[in-house]
Structure formats: structure tokens, C-alpha cells
Amino acid sequence: MNHKVEKAGKLLNEKGVLNEPGYAFDLVFDYDRKDIKASKLLIKEWDYYLITNKDYAVALTIADNGYMGLLSASIIDYNKPSQYTGSVPTLFPLGKYNAPRTSKVGDFKASTKRAQFSFTNDGTTRRLTCNYKNYKDKQDLIVDITLTEPPKDSMVIATPFFEKENKFYYNQKINCLKARGYAKLGSTEYVFDDDYSLAVLDWGRGVWSYNNTWYWGSMNTVLPDGRKFGFNIGYGFGNTSAASENMLFVDGVAHKLDQITFNIPVDKKGKDDYMSEWQFTSNDGRFELKFVPIIDRSAVIDIKVMGSIQHQVFGKFSGKVVLDDGSVIELKNEIGFAEKVHNKW
């Protein structure tokens, strides 16, 4: 079942419960953290941007997770291959970052003595800046990237959790934003200035369950015929019985998919083998891809009652996808990522 939400309205009712679980192509619901009926310690609000081209990528995150905030920056080089992630945690932001109620307009900023992050959005243009002191090998990281050409459609989903009625996830993924700018680490500069420099925004707001595992994949590219193409796939973000978040995007127009399965290989001990070839399959045959990993951006945090095991794997997708009208798009070695993340938070 995939229920499309057609009517705009408040995200939560007077009890803090989702009014209408389902998917949409725009932010139809009005999110306001004042409507949440849960402890401020449990409210999670983040903006995650991934800017990529055919050679490298930069990821920037501002997150207010209630009891803990996070400023994070990653540099991924597909050619070496290599990756580095630097993160600055903060304690008990509890809404002090003033995360925007909508992704359509508004600024999201956070600073510490070591790092200053700013995501500004005037409704047309987004500017992402980062000044991160002593980021790596005593070198500072400077990022200044502008995003334009927002697409007509995006992936939006309002999802409850199984545990309690007042837990929910309101999420938007915007694919194929046009990127211009740079990231500079010491004397090394990563420039985004061609047609293949594209970005995805993961805009998330909600109250999560304590222990969960999610799967997420995304890709942006320019097809040989000049069309911008991207996809968003995933599950594990709560009770998705009302709708999945799987979509294709062609020149800003969404094509809704049903169920997709991440087939991650396992080794002889039965553990996930992230650097071997993955397979992605769909129940309707519209998303059939193989994925050849390049690099695993992994991170493990374990402090018993809280923890996170993250594997964001970058690699090359090949295979076929089918649009709503039945036309087929063939993909060959297009760079994107797929991840598995287990959180206790």
C-alpha cells in the first residue's frame, strides 16, 4: 500500500500523533516542534547535505538530537579511494539551533569554538558554509557551496513508529540540486563546477524509537541524453505500512516505486560484507540494480546505553529502472551510495 497525502494541514494532532501517515511530493504538512508531545530530549532535527560529482563528495550535517547536537563534515575521494569524517558533538542543544520548520526557506546555523556551520535558504538559493578548525592533520576545512535549481518534486514521507503513538518521522529528500562551489582542506581544493555537481538534502524532523536500523540509498547524475536523474530508496524509518519512500526522479518529476530490498552480501561468518557486490531488487520489477562498492564510510560509537554503527557505502550502480509510463532507463557505473545504520539513541 502506498497512500498519497493530497491535502495540506498540520502534521500532528492535539495528542502529538500523526494526522495522516503517507507520502507526498512536497511538504504538505505543517511541522511545529511545539505540537510534539514528548520530552525535548527525544526530539531529533537535522539537515544533511551530500554534494558530489564523478570524482569526490562533501557531506555536511547540522543535527539537534535533543540531548546531543552534532556538526559533521566528510570528504570522500572516489579515485584514491579515501574518506575522512570530522565531527564536533555538543551537549543538550534542545532546540537552541532553531532548526527551520520547513525546508522551503529558513536558516540553520550552529557553532562551537572549533567549527562554524551555516545553511542559509532564501527560498531560491541555498548556501552551505563551514569553517572547521584543525579538521585533519592540523589543517582547517573551509567549505562554501551554493545550491540552486530546486526540482518540482521531492520525496516526502510521514511515518509513525510501532512503539508509541507520539513517535514519528517527518522526512524530505530533495535530489539533483545544482551545486557550485568548493571545499578546501589545506592546499587541496575540491571544486564543484560542472553539470555533474549535484546535491541531495536529507531533511529530518521527529521523535524516534530508541533502537532501530535503517537502510538508505541515493544517487544523482546526468543521463547521456542530458536529463537529470536521481533516486531515493530506503526502509527501516518506522512503520512504513502506509507508504514506502522509494522514488525515481527525472528532470525534477517523481515516479513512485513500491517495495525495494537491499541485498547486502554476507561473509563466511554470516556478517555483512559491505565491500562485496550488492543487489537491489523490487517487488514490481521496476528497480533492478547491482552496486559495486568503492569505499565504506564507516563509524562505530558504542557507549552501552547509546551507540551508532554506520556503514555508508559509496559505489557504482548498474542496471535498469522503469518509469511510471513503462519506459526503461539503463544505468551503467553511476556513482551513489547505500547505507545501513543501527542506532541506539
Side-chain angles (χ1 to χ4, degrees):
M1 176 183 179
N2 280 287
H3 172 64
K4 186 177 182 181
V5 179
E6 303 282 2
K7 186 178 180 180
K10 290 181 70 67
L11 177 69
L12 304 175
N13 65 19
E14 65 278 0
K15 295 181 180 180
V17 178
L18 285 175
N19 275 311
E20 187 179 1
Y23 80 93
F25 295 150
D26 196 7
L27 284 182
V28 292
F29 287 129
D30 177 28
Y31 167 81
D32 188 340
R33 67 181 283 135
K34 294 179 182 178
D35 296 333
I36 296 174
K37 306 301 182 185
S39 168
K40 291 182 179 180
L41 292 169
L42 302 178
I43 299 174
K44 305 187 190 305
E45 300 176 319
W46 67 70
D47 285 11
Y48 166 86
Y49 286 94
L50 177 71
I51 307 95
T52 187
N53 58 24
K54 290 183 175 297
D55 296 308
Y56 40 74
V58 171
L60 299 173
T61 305
I62 300 177
D64 179 343
N65 291 327
Y67 58 83
M68 182 189 73
L70 189 70
L71 306 181
S72 180
S74 299
I75 296 177
I76 303 99
D77 190 318
Y78 305 134
N79 296 320
K80 286 188 177 180
S82 65
Q83 70 86 24
Y84 184 80
T85 296
S87 298
V88 179
T90 61
L91 291 176
F92 303 108
L94 300 173
K96 295 176 184 177
Y97 291 172
N98 295 313
R101 290 173 51 176
T102 173
S103 72
K104 294 181 179 181
V105 67
D107 301 340
F108 199 3
K109 300 180 180 182
S111 297
T112 68
K113 290 183 178 180
R114 187 177 177 188
Q116 296 84 46
F117 282 53
S118 172
F119 303 160
T120 63
N121 177 14
D122 64 9
T124 302
T125 300
R126 302 168 190 267
R127 187 181 180 194
L128 318 177
T129 62
C130 164
N131 187 337
Y132 195 134
K133 298 177 182 178
N134 193 20
Y135 174 76
K136 182 186 180 185
D137 299 333
K138 298 183 179 180
Q139 299 178 103
D140 297 346
L141 174 67
I142 305 296
V143 180
D144 192 341
I145 296 172
T146 298
L147 307 181
T148 56
E149 300 180 18
K152 171 181 171 290
D153 295 336
S154 60
M155 192 295 299
V156 175
I157 192 166
T159 308
F161 284 87
F162 292 99
E163 290 82 357
K164 290 185 178 180
E165 286 187 333
N166 66 349
K167 293 190 176 183
F168 69 93
Y169 184 42
Y170 188 36
N171 181 220
Q172 181 184 39
K173 307 282 188 10
I174 303 177
N175 285 71
C176 297
L177 290 157
K178 188 68 177 177
R180 286 283 187 273
Y182 66 89
K184 189 174 183 180
L185 176 60
S187 61
T188 303
E189 194 166 21
Y190 303 86
V191 178
F192 300 91
D193 65 356
D194 60 16
D195 290 339
Y196 292 92
S197 295
L198 300 168
V200 60
L201 165 63
D202 172 15
W203 183 92
R205 307 289 187 265
V207 179
W208 279 68
S209 61
Y210 166 67
N211 192 342
N212 58 80
T213 299
W214 77 58
Y215 301 78
W216 178 34
S218 182
M219 192 205 77
N220 296 320
T221 192
V222 178
L223 298 172
D225 61 12
R227 291 180 294 171
K228 287 183 184 178
F229 173 82
F231 65 69
N232 182 84
I233 56 175
Y235 50 92
F237 302 92
N239 177 3
T240 55
S241 59
S244 75
E245 65 169 60
N246 302 316
M247 294 185 192
L248 308 172
F249 301 95
V250 181
D251 278 346
V253 176
H255 299 253
K256 185 70 179 72
L257 303 175
D258 192 23
Q259 302 297 321
I260 292 172
T261 302
F262 289 45
N263 296 300
I264 303 173
V266 295
D267 60 21
K268 294 180 179 179
K269 296 181 180 180
K271 295 184 178 181
D272 291 326
D273 182 5
Y274 293 101
M275 292 304 293
S276 292
E277 182 181 297
W278 302 25
Q279 298 289 330
F280 293 84
T281 58
S282 53
N283 62 343
D284 55 10
R286 293 182 56 191
F287 193 94
E288 303 295 324
L289 299 179
K290 72 175 183 178
F291 176 67
V292 179
I294 297 173
I295 190 167
D296 178 7
R297 192 186 72 82
S298 63
V300 177
I301 302 172
D302 187 2
I303 51 176
K304 304 308 178 185
V305 295
M306 292 184 292
S308 181
I309 301 173
Q310 305 176 19
H311 290 274
Q312 184 182 36
V313 182
F314 292 83
K316 297 181 179 181
F317 289 93
S318 298
K320 71 169 187 176
V321 297
V322 181
L323 305 183
D324 288 344
D325 63 3
S327 58
V328 176
I329 291 179
E330 297 282 350
L331 302 176
K332 185 176 181 180
N333 295 327
E334 296 288 356
I335 290 179
F337 74 86
E339 69 180 31
K340 180 180 179 181
V341 176
H342 177 211
N343 285 325
K344 293 187 294 182
W345 59 346

